[in-house]
Amino acid sequence: MITSNNKNAPPRANRTKVSESEVKLRRLLRDAPQDLWLDTIRRTRSDAHNDLIYWMLNQPECDFAIAAHAFYRANPALQLENPKPLSVRPGSDNLFAVVLVNWDTGFFRGHTLKVEPVDAHPRVVARLNEKISLTPRSELPYTIPHKLLHPEGGEPAHLSPQLSPDEVPYLWALYADLGLRVPDTAPGIQRKVGKAKRLWKRVGFGSR
């Protein structure tokens, strides 16, 4: 099993068992550019993939854009409604705390990739900043870094077709098995036939 490199992570006994497919994906990501990491976190669904995101956040190479995505998906403005002290070793059920604790210990200083609206929508960022401005500092048991409040800089992610789960059959199967967002059909002839059928229907041939 590939485990976290972060001393802030909970003891191994407290971690959930990782599926074989997720172990394979983690191994793949180990040697992949951060562009694939960001693409992967954008394919996650609700809390179902928190363990995978948690693993990403605990790797020293994790880009700031990935941390920002995780931070904003945790609804930080809501966290300020009833702020609580952060656990010293937060788990995958509290990604908000994981990002802040890891930031305090030197993580996410590499910032190559751009934080896009899909990661942190401008309205959500503005709402958090407004909430921060209205909350007395004495009422917050933690500090949210300025960089997370203003996630700017970096270049848009670029994923080559050779690394895209939408284009590579092996990757598509792996991502589909984990429930990550990929097209319904695998790359290849079947998908091309499906596209052709949809095109025929749009131009009227499907009704004849």
Side-chain angles (χ1 to χ4, degrees), residues 77-146:
L78 182 62
Q79 302 281 352
L80 296 184
E81 296 287 347
N82 184 25
K84 298 178 181 178
L86 303 177
S87 169
V88 176
R89 303 177 77 178
S92 61
D93 59 340
N94 192 352
L95 298 179
F96 173 82
V98 173
V99 172
L100 294 182
V101 169
N102 284 7
W103 175 272
D104 285 344
T105 53
F107 278 64
F108 319 133
R109 296 312 193 262
H111 185 186
T112 301
L113 302 175
K114 183 178 180 180
V115 178
E116 305 275 11
V118 68
D119 306 304
H121 196 279
R123 286 198 301 270
V124 178
V125 175
R127 182 183 173 215
L128 175 60
N129 277 274
E130 180 181 15
K131 196 79 175 176
I132 287 286
S133 68
L134 297 174
T135 304
R137 185 178 293 271
S138 60
E139 294 183 9
L140 283 180
Y142 45 74
T143 299
I144 298 178
H146 179 271

Side-chain angles (χ1 to χ4, degrees), residues 13-27:
N14 295 340
R15 301 175 196 165
T16 57
K17 186 176 181 179
V18 181
S19 70
E20 183 179 349
S21 291
E22 185 164 326
V23 169
K24 290 179 180 178
L25 179 56
R26 291 183 186 187
R27 286 175 177 158

Side-chain angles (χ1 to χ4, degrees), residues 146-207:
H146 179 271
K147 193 172 180 67
L148 280 171
L149 295 173
H150 304 278
E152 302 164 350
E155 297 293 330
H158 174 71
L159 199 62
S160 68
Q162 292 81 7
L163 281 176
S164 174
D166 293 344
E167 303 297 335
V168 181
Y170 168 75
L171 292 179
W172 178 90
L174 184 60
Y175 278 59
D177 185 62
L178 287 167
L180 295 162
R181 290 188 180 93
V182 288
D184 292 336
T185 54
I189 296 298
Q190 184 178 359
R191 185 187 295 176
K192 291 178 180 178
V193 170
K195 286 182 179 179
K197 287 181 177 179
R198 289 192 293 274
L199 176 61
W200 294 338
K201 287 182 179 180
R202 282 200 298 270
V203 300
F205 287 108
S207 60

